[in-house]
Each structure stands twice: as structure tokens, then as C-alpha cells.
Amino acid sequence: MEPSLEGWDIARLDGNDELPWIPWGSQGKARARIAARADGYHVAIVEAEPGYRTDPHVHQHAEFLYVIDGTLSNQGRTMTTGDVFAAAAGSAHTHFAAETPVKYVSIFRSDSQEEKS
């Protein structure tokens, strides 16, 4: 018996040109691929240039981030390759900036296509 894929969204990113890059943030310094979706949550792969900043916002739902490569500043803390954060619903996100070219995974819930970190 073969396992069911009902309710699953599985993607391969390497060499997958079917997942389009979309602009990320309000400054034009980042792009993202929405790699998978389930129950309103999104898994995004984000690439940002040095100087990329997010606009301050309050998280409506929990958000998670894993740094694949590079260095960024988040809420006054330096994060580098292998670092992670989890932000609770209701938390204020007031500072996020790419210090070097950075690539990260962001997992967030959204009822629309609004952008996150």
C-alpha cells in the first residue's frame, strides 16, 4: 500500500523553476519562493540583500525563521547561519535587517498574501 499524499504539499527546491520568485518586503531588496502551504501556514525561502529591512509589524500568528546562510540583525540580536527564532502571536517585530546577503526559511500563517520577515 502506497502512503497517501492527501493534505500534503511537498516540493523540491533545487532546480525547480515552477516555484516563482516573488518580491518580498516594501524596498525591493528581497525575494521569496513560497515552497509549501497547509492550513493557512506558508513555508517561504527568502533571499535578501544587505540593507533589507522589514517594516515594523505585530505578528497575528506565531512565526518561525531559520537562517540558511548569512547574517542578520533581529530585535537587537545578531543571527547567523544555523540560528533560529520563534515569535509568538501578538509579539511586536520592530527590527529586522540583513547585514550580509542572507538566505532563510520563514514559516508563518497568513490569511492573505501579506509579506512577513
Side-chain angles (χ1 to χ4, degrees):
M1 176 190 247
E2 196 164 320
S4 171
L5 289 176
E6 184 175 341
W8 289 81
D9 186 1
I10 300 174
R12 179 166 187 86
L13 297 176
D14 294 339
N16 185 349
D17 295 329
E18 294 179 21
L19 292 176
W21 288 100
I22 59 173
W24 199 252
S26 62
Q27 306 156 349
K29 292 186 175 185
R31 65 184 188 162
R33 289 174 120 173
I34 304 299
R37 295 178 174 93
D39 294 335
Y41 282 90
H42 299 71
V43 178
I45 308 302
V46 181
E47 293 181 350
E49 300 174 15
Y52 165 74
R53 298 181 179 282
T54 60
D55 297 326
H57 59 279
V58 174
H59 294 125
Q60 299 302 310
H61 307 281
E63 180 177 319
F64 308 90
L65 184 140
Y66 172 76
V67 181
I68 297 170
D69 190 34
T71 302
L72 58 89
S73 177
N74 182 53
Q75 296 301 100
R77 299 262 179 105
T78 298
M79 298 179 67
T80 62
T81 303
D83 289 344
V84 299
F85 80 65
S91 63
H93 208 164
T94 58
H95 178 77
F96 183 97
E99 296 177 6
T100 66
V102 65
K103 184 175 184 177
Y104 58 88
V105 176
S106 179
I107 301 171
F108 60 93
R109 183 178 172 101
S110 177
D111 298 325
S112 66
Q113 283 289 11
E114 68 186 75
E115 296 151 358
K116 300 295 173 193
S117 297

